[in-house]
Amino acid sequence: MRIGVLAIQGDFEAHRQRLESLGAQTALIRKPEELDAVDAIVIPGGESSTMLKFLERGGFFEKLCAFVKTKPAFGTCAGAILLAKDVGNPPQASLGALDIQVRRNAYGRQLESSIRRSETTLPGGPLETVFIRAPRIVRIGKDVEVLATDQGLPVLVRQGKIMAATFHPELSSDTRVHAEFLRSVKNGTK
Ligand code: GLN
């Protein structure tokens, strides 16, 4: 099993290191055809509109769209925005793999970045959550499971093979979120 990390922009290296520290094999994905060699994909944080510009070249967007329809994917922050079905503030194209609506940069200036402790259903108590110009999940579909909340709002969600976090688990020493994704990749849908 090999986990691809989309490496066109953003903090892909921290994800790669975290996944490897948990025993996973990884591959950085910079070209669409490299998706053929991996079993799952992590889409990092960064700037979703910039990532989209890269993806719009050479059929990358279409290839990634098809990939996330059948294979596990985990998006953090900008990655969550790319996986979402509906994106606002401003609206932009997305892969539409996860039935959520997100509002970009939704926490305003003062709360642009913060480290918080969020409630989670993952065993082990509250989760350290690092938010950087985070989106807010403003709607979740009926098949979407909420794995963590902050101030009552979902910040970590899952629908079948797709997981998304509005925060940056790769920047926390808490490894539970990546471990949960790896477990779901190994076990099939959950
Ligand atoms: N604000 C970024 C966006 O809209 C996301 C920020 C992040 O990934 N840390 O794409």
Side-chain angles (χ1 to χ4, degrees), residues 113-120 126-132 147-151 153-156 165-174 176-177:
S113 302
S114 59
I115 301 178
R116 314 172 64 84
R117 283 169 70 76
S118 306
E119 293 303 313
T120 181
L127 197 59
E128 184 183 70
T129 45
V130 180
F131 291 92
I132 304 171
L147 301 178
T149 56
D150 193 78
Q151 296 172 315
L153 295 167
V155 293
L156 176 65
T166 59
F167 56 96
H168 286 265
E170 77 285 4
L171 298 181
S172 161
S173 55
D174 194 325
R176 283 179 287 164
V177 178

Side-chain angles (χ1 to χ4, degrees), residues 40-57:
I41 184 91
V42 171
I43 307 179
E47 190 54 48
S48 55
S49 53
T50 307
M51 286 190 214
L52 268 177
K53 284 205 185 97
F54 280 96
L55 289 172
E56 275 157 11
R57 294 183 207 146

Side-chain angles (χ1 to χ4, degrees), residues 60-76:
F60 209 158
F61 185 85
E62 290 73 17
K63 182 108 184 172
L64 190 56
C65 224
F67 187 94
V68 299
K69 283 210 173 83
T70 57
K71 302 246 171 78
F74 175 34
T76 60

Side-chain angles (χ1 to χ4, degrees), residues 22-113:
L22 292 168
Q25 289 193 306
T26 63
L28 295 180
I29 305 294
R30 294 199 164 94
K31 295 183 192 140
E33 58 272 22
E34 289 168 342
L35 286 168
D36 296 333
V38 295
D39 306 293
I41 184 91
V42 171
I43 307 179
E47 190 54 48
S48 55
S49 53
T50 307
M51 286 190 214
L52 268 177
K53 284 205 185 97
F54 280 96
L55 289 172
E56 275 157 11
R57 294 183 207 146
F60 209 158
F61 185 85
E62 290 73 17
K63 182 108 184 172
L64 190 56
C65 224
F67 187 94
V68 299
K69 283 210 173 83
T70 57
K71 302 246 171 78
F74 175 34
T76 60
C77 206
I81 295 169
L82 287 177
L83 286 170
K85 196 167 174 184
D86 301 304
V87 180
N89 193 39
Q92 67 184 22
S94 61
L95 300 163
L98 180 60
D99 188 13
I100 60 172
Q101 183 181 351
V102 296
R103 183 176 160 77
R104 294 177 63 204
N105 301 312
Y107 288 91
R109 276 246 170 113
Q110 269 128 25
L111 275 180
E112 241 185 13
S113 302

Side-chain angles (χ1 to χ4, degrees), residues 2-19:
R2 190 176 287 276
I3 314 289
V5 182
L6 191 69
I8 50 182
Q9 194 261 341
D11 66 341
F12 48 87
E13 191 52 37
H15 278 286
R16 194 188 63 77
Q17 282 175 22
R18 172 59 47 87
L19 292 163

